[in-house]
């Protein structure tokens, strides 16, 4: 019955340990994978918002620079001060035509504050009435704007979203004398934003009035829908907008917030335009290959732990067998001691019982041989256990070495990626320099066109050359934009790969530490097994010596027909040897 309980325990305990370890690893995987998904999602959203902000800066800055230059042109200022002067008017119109060609949409409009005529596409459109609510933008631009402002609308008939850029024209004393500007077609920019947008991410532009100014759904633009209509029930948008504005003065203005239990978002304030950019996505979109790597590590740990538990279970079973053999040895030695004492008492009472004593000693010799045989079996079992443990230790050493090589290779990969990132940063600087040179060349070419236009027919050929230079500069700027986008994608991939590689390196280091700890424990077991095997060998030697002593005693007893005293001394020696054997057996059981 006890044997069945032991067998049941040998099978049941390892199952409990392995199952418990599996549940623990599953819990850890779920907790860490959720955190990794959140971190990955916020990183992806930040990258998207940052990239779209850079794209908008690149798209609008050249138009803003040209509009500001137009509003500060001396020729335009003279014309706005006295629009009825024929000479000023002719020069101003020539310059305005040049600006129209320079703007990407080829749109130019203006209105002076003398006669309040509004000109669009080089044609008189109508006379502005500042008291008319429909012309609210005129007073707002002249009297409430420092340099320039934006006005956006979506034209359903043209199916086009246009951003109107209005700049204030001031005289030498800083008084507002009119306004001029251009229309920037945003559909291509917005479409490009959504073409490169990752799956699962929702992206919107909106202004301080929470009016959506950029969206994939054109109906939202046509209706001038509020951003709160899209995120109904979310956090207080006023607080989110204040946080984004505060961050914009210290960093890139990216504010991370939680939309709901399963969705996160990032908001950025574009201070140059007074707009906000918001991107949101569900947490499930943040799952990455890093989760699978962590799952594989958990499975590997479970396998290693299962092998270890099964090995320990088998080792315990072997140790129980050795203990059982030791108990039998103790029983045999106790019987031998008892027999020796009985022989001593017999020697004292019956001096003539030499033959019986000889027979008893012969039995004792046979018993010693039997004990020696059993001890040899124990020794063989202990040696086998030592060999198994040694094989386990060797396997762990190889595993630790392999994990170390993997960690070194992974670290080399990370260093290589970081070095590549540094080189990409240098390329970025070079591209930025090229872009700056192209911008400068564009402005110089534009100035040359203006001078050529002022020179009349004599500057016609020079005007053609300047126009070609400006087009070449535009081509260089477009090319550098594509290079910037490619570099941005490479940097994002490089950063994500570094994060995953560093996370994998940390898990590998943990595996190395655990394997080393397991190796130390197995080394201790190996030492104990070697000591057990050595003790069994010593017991075998002692048993052999005892058998030889018994044979000598037997020969002496056969030769001596009398001599009771000598026989007593011999039996006393047998008793002492039996007690020593019993003590050794007890020590073996304690070990």
């Amino acid at each position: 019955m006890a044997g069945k309980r032991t067998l049941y325990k040998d099978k049941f305990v390892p199952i409990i340990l392995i199952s418990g370890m599996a549940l623990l690893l599953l819990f850890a995987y779920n907790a860490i994978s959720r955190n990794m998904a959140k971190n990955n999602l916020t990183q992806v959203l930040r990258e998207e918002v940052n990239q779209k902000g850079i794209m908008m800066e690149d798209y609008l800055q050249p138009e803003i620079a040209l509009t500001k230059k137009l509003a500060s042109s001396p020729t335009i200022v003279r014309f706005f001060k006295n629009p009825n002067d024929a000479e000023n008017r002719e020069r101003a119109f020539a310059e305005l035509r040049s600006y129209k060609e320079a703007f990407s949409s080829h749109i130019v409009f203006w209105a002076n504050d003398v006669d309040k005529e509004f000109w669009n596409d080089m044609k008189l459109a109508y006379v502005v009435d500042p008291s008319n609510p429909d012309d609210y933008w005129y007073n707002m631009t002249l009297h409430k704007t420092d340099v320039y402002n934006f006005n956006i609308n979506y034209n359903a008939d043209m199916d086009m979203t246009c951003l109107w850029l209005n700049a204030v024209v001031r005289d030498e004393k800083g008084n507002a004398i009119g306004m001029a500007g251009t229309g920037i077609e945003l559909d291509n920019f917005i479409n490009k934003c959504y073409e490169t947008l990752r799956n699962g991410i929702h992206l919107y532009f909106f202004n301080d009035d929470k009016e959506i100014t950029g969206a994939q759904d054109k109906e939202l633009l046509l209706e001038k829908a509020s951003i709160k209509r899209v995120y109904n029930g979310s956090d207080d948008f006023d607080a989110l907008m204040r946080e984004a504005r505060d961050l914009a003065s210290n960093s890139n203005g990216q504010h991370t917030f939680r939309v709901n239990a399963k969705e996160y978002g990032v908001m950025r304030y574009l201070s140059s335009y007074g707009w906000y950019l918001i991107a949101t996505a569900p947490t499930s979109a943040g799952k990455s290959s890093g989760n699978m790597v962590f799952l594989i590590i958990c499975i590997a740990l479970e396998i290693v732990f299962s092998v270890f538990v099964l090995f320990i279970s088998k080792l315990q079973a072997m140790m129980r067998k050795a203990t059982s053999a030791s108990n039998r040895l103790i029983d045999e030695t106790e019987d031998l001691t008892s027999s020796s004492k009985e022989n001593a008492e017999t020697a004292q009472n019956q001096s003539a019982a030499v033959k019986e004593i000889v027979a008893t000693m012969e039995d004792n010799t046979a018993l010693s041989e039997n004990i020696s045989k059993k001890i040899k079996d124990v020794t063989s079992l202990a040696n086998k256990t030592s060999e198994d443990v040694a094989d386990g230790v060797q396997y762990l050493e190889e595993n630790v070495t392999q994990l170390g090589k993997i960690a070194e290779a992974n670290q080399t990969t990370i260093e290589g990626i970081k070095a590549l990132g540094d080189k990409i940063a240098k390329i970025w600087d070079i591209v930025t320099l090229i872009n700056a040179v192209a911008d400068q060349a564009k402005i110089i070419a534009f100035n040359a066109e203006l001078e050529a236009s002022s020179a009349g027919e004599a500057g016609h050929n020079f005007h053609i050359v300047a126009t070609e230079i400006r087009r070449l500069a535009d081509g260089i700027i477009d090319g550098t934009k594509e290079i910037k986008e490619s570099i941005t994608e490479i940097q994002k991939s490089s950063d994500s790969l570094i994060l995953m590689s560093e996370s994998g390196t940390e898990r590998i280091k943990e595996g190395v530490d655990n394997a080393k700890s397991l190796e130390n424990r197995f080394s201790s077991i190996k030492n104990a097994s070697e000591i057990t095997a050595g003790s069994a060998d010593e017991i075998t030697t002692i048993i052999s010596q005892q058998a030889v002593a018994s044979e000598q005693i037997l020969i002496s007893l056969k030769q001596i027909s009398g001599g009771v005293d000598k026989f007593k001394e011999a039996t006393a020696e047998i008793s002492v040897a039996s007690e020593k054997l019993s003590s050794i057996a007890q020590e073996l059981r304690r070990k």
Side-chain angles (χ1 to χ4, degrees), residues 43 51 98 103 111 132 148 173 201 209 220 223 230 240 279 285 353 387 415 423 431 467 585:
Q43 179 65 24
Q51 181 189 17
S98 298
F103 287 126
N132 187 343
Y148 63 89
K173 297 180 180 180
I201 297 179
D209 296 328
L220 296 175
E223 298 172 9
V230 180
L240 294 176
E387 292 174 358
E415 293 174 357
K423 293 180 179 179
V431 171
T467 301

Side-chain angles (χ1 to χ4, degrees), residues 135-280:
D135 292 337
Y136 72 94
W137 51 269
Y138 184 78
N139 283 333
M140 180 185 70
T141 301
L142 263 66
H143 306 298
K144 297 182 180 180
T145 302
D146 292 333
V147 181
Y148 63 89
N149 63 42
F150 291 105
N151 181 28
I152 189 169
N153 61 44
Y154 173 70
N155 190 315
D157 296 332
M158 299 174 62
D159 189 24
M160 182 177 73
T161 303
C162 203
L163 177 67
W164 302 103
L165 175 57
N166 312 307
V168 183
V169 179
R170 299 182 185 274
D171 60 15
E172 294 81 358
K173 297 180 180 180
N175 299 318
I177 58 175
M179 53 83 64
T182 185
I184 303 172
E185 193 274 310
L186 289 183
D187 280 325
N188 289 336
F189 168 72
I190 293 175
N191 292 336
K192 191 172 184 180
C193 286
Y194 285 98
E195 285 175 1
T196 60
L197 190 65
R198 305 187 192 187
N199 292 333
I201 297 179
H202 302 287
L203 182 72
Y204 297 94
F205 294 89
F206 64 96
N207 56 25
D208 278 323
D209 296 328
K210 302 184 183 67
E211 177 186 335
I212 295 177
T213 55
Q216 195 171 21
D217 184 1
K218 297 296 179 63
E219 290 296 326
L220 296 175
L221 301 176
L222 183 62
E223 298 172 9
K224 295 185 177 181
S226 171
I227 188 67
K228 296 200 70 174
R229 169 180 164 184
V230 180
Y231 294 102
N232 186 27
S234 300
D235 291 345
D236 183 3
F237 261 80
D238 291 328
L240 294 176
M241 291 163 64
R242 284 195 301 271
E243 185 70 23
R245 286 197 301 270
D246 292 341
L247 287 174
S249 61
N250 300 321
S251 60
N252 60 7
Q254 293 182 355
H255 173 53
T256 303
F257 63 97
R258 186 171 183 174
V259 180
N260 52 50
K262 296 182 179 180
E263 192 172 7
Y264 283 86
V266 172
M267 183 183 296
R268 177 179 179 179
Y269 179 62
L270 305 175
S271 56
S272 299
Y273 318 108
W275 283 7
Y276 300 83
L277 175 59
I278 184 173
T280 61

